[in-house]
Amino acid sequence: MTSVPTRVKTTLSFRTIGAVYVWLVIVVLFSVWAPDTFPTAITVKQVLNGNAVAGLVALSVVPPLAARVFDLSVAYTMSLTSVLTAHFVVSTGLGPFTAIALAMAAALLVGVVNALVVVVLRVDSFIATLATGALIQSLITMVTNDSSITGVQLLAKPFASLAQLDVGGITLPVLYLLLAALAIWFVLEHTATGRRLYATGFNADAARLQGVRTDRLRFVTLVTSAVLSGFAGVVFASSVGSGSPTAGSPYLLSAYAAAFVGATQLRAGRFNAWGTVIAVLLLGTGITGLGLATSAQWAASLFTGSVLIVALVLTGGRIALPTVLRRRAGKPPAPAQPEGSTDDESRAVPAGGTRA
């Protein structure tokens, strides 16, 4: 049994929470770069409120990735629910709750279609969800003619309150983000379903031989992903007061960047909820800092892409590093864990192990 100092040292090590230390460096950097605007309470609220929707989209890709499945349609699903909610409220006169229910039903349908194509028809998830996204975009264009849907109904309560109501300057989407993260964390870390999900992502064949219903798990993760990204679209429409046909497009890269950075935090090599939230806030802090420092418009995309590349390098390097060090020290490699084991190390996703 490890001692308390050892556990504390492990918990606070760079290997465990490296993104937190990078986050602190970013805070210090921008506090020096923009001392009049960045280190303020307003900036803290801006980072939290401005990245809550991005966090919801990022969390939506965590369950599929944990099962080694890509869902590239999340951005399109978000755009779909955004425009459908606005369309039902403005053009058909439906009440906001009915409009939200119909939009979420559409998101659920998208998830079921994705799951049928990927799980039942055995189409590669990367290609399948990208194709589904193209179909969704065509539907969005048909409904909106590529124009945002606006109306005073979207600015009135109770629809506007869904995202604009705040407590102490912190808006409700931040609460939605925390609740979604809590639910995903509980399922992945404290239920048998979560252990089976990680086993599926680590080695689907071994998990299947042990009786894990891998196809059912992948089916459920794709449906969950669509529903959560669809909810993000509804929250987005409420926050901006309109339905945008391109609402989800800017969130796709940042969602996967956050998920992969999150996989290097807290639960080494495993996609997890709280690591993803940390990554979202890290990325949001950097982008907000660049905006306050009046940097070039392309700097935000450069920052996000660079963080994603570094995260992918760390994800592979962190897992391979112990073996490399043992070989250099002349020590025999650690005994391999049985495939499909639920041990922490055996459940780690190997470098490149997130391929669909």
Side-chain angles (χ1 to χ4, degrees):
M1 185 175 181
T2 58
S3 62
V4 173
T6 301
R7 290 200 299 269
V8 172
K9 182 179 179 180
T10 301
T11 302
L12 299 179
S13 68
F14 187 85
R15 288 172 56 86
T16 305
I17 56 171
V20 175
Y21 297 123
V22 174
W23 189 9
L24 293 176
V25 170
I26 291 174
V27 170
V28 172
L29 174 63
F30 284 112
S31 296
V32 174
W33 191 355
D36 296 329
T37 55
F38 185 81
T40 64
I42 295 177
T43 301
V44 173
K45 295 175 183 178
Q46 182 179 349
V47 170
L48 291 174
N49 296 334
N51 291 280
V53 172
L56 289 172
V57 181
L59 287 176
S60 74
V61 304
V62 170
L65 286 175
R68 202 168 63 175
V69 176
F70 277 101
D71 185 359
L72 298 184
S73 67
V74 291
Y76 302 98
T77 305
M78 176 182 171
S79 299
L80 177 66
T81 54
S82 170
V83 298
L84 284 181
T85 303
H87 172 73
F88 289 138
V89 171
V90 174
S91 302
T92 66
L94 292 175
F97 295 109
T98 304
I100 292 172
L102 291 174
M104 291 304 298
L108 178 63
L109 178 61
V110 169
V112 171
V113 170
N114 279 337
L116 289 174
V117 174
V118 173
V119 177
V120 178
L121 300 182
R122 303 294 180 184
V123 179
D124 183 273
S125 63
F126 193 97
I127 302 301
T129 56
L130 191 62
T132 304
L135 294 176
I136 295 172
Q137 189 59 52
S138 66
L139 176 61
I140 292 172
T141 302
M142 181 175 66
V143 173
T144 66
N145 198 27
D146 283 335
S147 300
S148 295
I149 300 176
T150 59
V152 293
Q153 300 94 324
L154 300 174
L155 302 175
K157 295 179 180 180
F159 183 73
S161 300
L162 181 67
Q164 298 180 25
L165 186 65
D166 69 275
V167 178
I170 305 299
T171 56
L172 283 181
V174 178
L175 176 61
Y176 305 149
L177 173 63
L178 294 177
L179 291 176
L182 183 64
I184 293 174
W185 165 78
F186 180 79
V187 171
L188 290 181
E189 302 295 339
H190 295 280
T191 67
T193 299
R195 291 191 293 272
R196 291 166 185 153
L197 194 61
Y198 278 129
T200 299
F202 178 67
N203 192 322
D205 292 333
R208 192 180 301 110
L209 290 174
Q210 293 180 3
V212 176
R213 297 180 177 179
T214 56
D215 285 346
R216 176 180 294 183
L217 288 173
R218 287 175 171 171
F219 194 104
V220 172
T221 60
L222 286 168
V223 173
T224 301
S225 176
V227 169
L228 189 52
S229 59
F231 179 68
V234 174
V235 174
F236 179 85
S238 174
S239 64
V240 301
S242 68
S244 172
T246 59
S249 300
Y251 293 99
L252 185 60
L253 175 60
S254 61
Y256 275 93
F260 276 96
V261 173
T264 69
Q265 304 301 302
L266 304 179
R267 310 295 289 173
R270 292 192 290 173
F271 295 99
N272 65 89
W274 295 118
T276 301
V277 171
I278 291 173
V280 167
L281 296 178
L282 183 155
L283 292 169
T285 300
I287 293 173
T288 300
L290 288 171
L292 294 175
T294 63
S295 60
Q297 292 183 350
W298 47 262
S301 297
L302 177 64
F303 176 79
T304 301
S306 300
V307 169
L308 178 57
I309 292 174
V310 172
L312 291 173
V313 172
L314 288 176
T315 302
R318 285 165 54 117
I319 298 168
L321 185 59
T323 302
V324 174
L325 293 178
R326 280 193 294 268
R327 288 175 178 173
R328 290 184 178 180
K331 298 179 181 179
Q337 295 287 341
E339 290 184 332
S341 169
T342 57
D343 180 77
D344 280 353
E345 182 175 341
S346 68
R347 284 181 287 167
V349 178
T354 56
R355 291 175 300 154

